[in-house]
Amino acid sequence: MDLDQARRAAALCARASITVLQSNLPSGREIAEVVKLTGFVACTPEFHQQSAVIDAASQVLIETFGAAGRHARSAIGVTALPHGASVEVELIVALRIATS
């Protein structure tokens, strides 16, 4: 997988995470802000662009939530991920009571 493919995978992970979060929020709650993103990139020891890969996930969060999508972040290289995935993301979000 090249860098562009990995970036697309990271963006897809971010979009999927948003979808899962929003579809499982308790009634009357909404995402107030993204607090932290941790991104894991399956790679060889010679690969040093984990941050560039996870930048794509960060960009999706900022595009989706605006200023509330800005977050703390870690980008970590690992030798393998479950099910042969190339990228995995973990989000911590703050919730608020939705106002109608």
Side-chain angles (χ1 to χ4, degrees):
M1 178 172 287
D2 65 23
L3 181 59
D4 287 336
Q5 291 170 318
R7 288 178 50 80
R8 285 193 297 274
L12 181 63
C13 285
R15 285 187 202 97
S17 295
I18 293 166
T19 299
V20 169
L21 279 166
Q22 290 177 330
S23 66
N24 288 286
L25 284 173
S27 179
R29 301 288 176 159
E30 62 187 20
I31 296 171
E33 69 178 309
V34 179
V35 177
K36 180 157 191 216
L37 163 66
T38 304
F40 301 92
V41 179
C43 58
T44 63
E46 297 80 24
F47 185 77
H48 300 286
Q49 293 183 289
Q50 294 86 354
S51 183
V53 172
I54 302 306
D55 282 347
S58 291
Q59 186 175 17
V60 167
L61 297 172
I62 293 165
E63 287 171 359
T64 302
F65 298 106
R70 298 203 177 275
H71 51 273
R73 188 183 88 174
S74 298
I76 303 164
V78 297
T79 58
L81 288 168
H83 307 289
S86 56
V87 178
E88 180 176 304
V89 300
E90 172 184 274
L91 295 177
I92 298 173
V93 300
L95 302 179
R96 72 171 158 253
I97 297 172
T99 56
S100 299

